[in-house]
Amino acid sequence: MKSLLIKLSGELLSLPQENRSSSNVDFTKNLPIRSITQQIKTLSKKYFIGIVIGGGNFFRGNQHGKALGITGSARHHVGMLATMMNGVLLKDLLSQEEVNSETLSAIECPKIALQITEKNIKQAKEDKKVIIFVAGTGKPFFTTDTAAIMRAHQIGSTMVFKATK
């Protein structure tokens, strides 16, 4: 089975700007992530899929971090944590579509995800699970785009699709 890597923007998990303050919003409709999870379900029948999720819906280091005056390293660590939150969300949304997935993290957080290791990647592939990669590279000063290329190599993918702005 061929492998492919999808890099998803965290902003795909955001509500449209006009709906963020409304208490009458039906959160289950008209969100791009719903369509994407359905597409992942379809693709997972033909491909082994790895997903790198961003965290921009929660925190953007160059925007929020700079406005707060926090250091570059702290900005990047907060961003990594934001990707972990999105990994939890994405895993649940995939589960609702009856897609088996495993969350693997570049930083230790055993209650949320397994660590990214060759063994855990191999096991997820054997179990035909979609892998959700979180926490970027685990190192500050690298984007989730960099992590996407790294993870593509780790899963043996020659295809990387980027679903961002």
Side-chain angles (χ1 to χ4, degrees):
M1 181 178 282
K2 286 189 173 187
S3 298
L4 66 91
L5 191 289
I6 304 169
K7 174 14 177 107
L8 294 178
S9 168
E11 292 173 330
L12 292 169
L13 291 159
S14 293
L15 289 174
Q17 191 69 34
E18 65 274 9
N19 293 335
R20 291 185 187 182
S21 61
S22 174
S23 60
N24 297 325
V25 175
D26 182 350
F27 294 102
T28 63
K29 296 181 181 173
N30 301 323
L31 295 177
I33 195 63
R34 291 294 184 176
S35 172
I36 290 168
T37 54
Q38 291 167 359
Q39 292 173 55
I40 290 168
K41 180 179 183 174
T42 300
L43 286 169
S44 69
K45 294 174 184 167
K46 284 184 70 172
Y47 298 94
F48 171 76
I49 299 174
I51 300 169
V52 170
I53 185 80
N57 56 318
F58 287 116
F59 185 82
R60 298 195 83 55
N62 283 337
Q63 181 183 354
H64 304 112
K66 283 183 179 178
L68 291 168
I70 61 176
T71 65
S73 180
R75 290 194 307 256
H76 283 267
H77 282 101
V78 172
M80 286 183 248
L81 294 172
T83 71
M84 294 178 83
M85 292 188 296
N86 279 340
V88 171
L89 295 170
L90 182 58
K91 183 172 180 53
D92 189 78
L93 292 169
L94 287 171
S95 178
Q96 291 175 34
E97 293 293 331
E98 299 178 349
V99 175
N100 290 324
S101 64
E102 187 71 70
T103 307
L104 301 182
S105 177
I107 56 177
E108 285 189 56
C109 190
K111 297 213 182 224
I112 300 295
L114 298 173
Q115 277 201 274
I116 298 172
T117 65
E118 286 184 40
K119 179 182 175 186
N120 288 337
I121 291 170
K122 182 180 177 187
Q123 187 63 56
K125 284 181 101 171
E126 287 174 7
D127 295 341
K128 296 182 177 12
K129 291 182 177 180
V130 170
I131 297 178
I132 303 165
F133 291 104
V134 299
T137 65
K139 307 278 187 231
F141 307 107
F142 293 95
T143 67
T144 50
D145 289 352
T146 301
I149 300 305
M150 289 173 60
R151 304 309 170 215
H153 284 287
Q154 287 179 296
I155 66 170
S157 175
T158 57
M159 297 179 282
V160 177
F161 296 91
K162 185 175 176 188
T164 64
K165 288 183 178 181

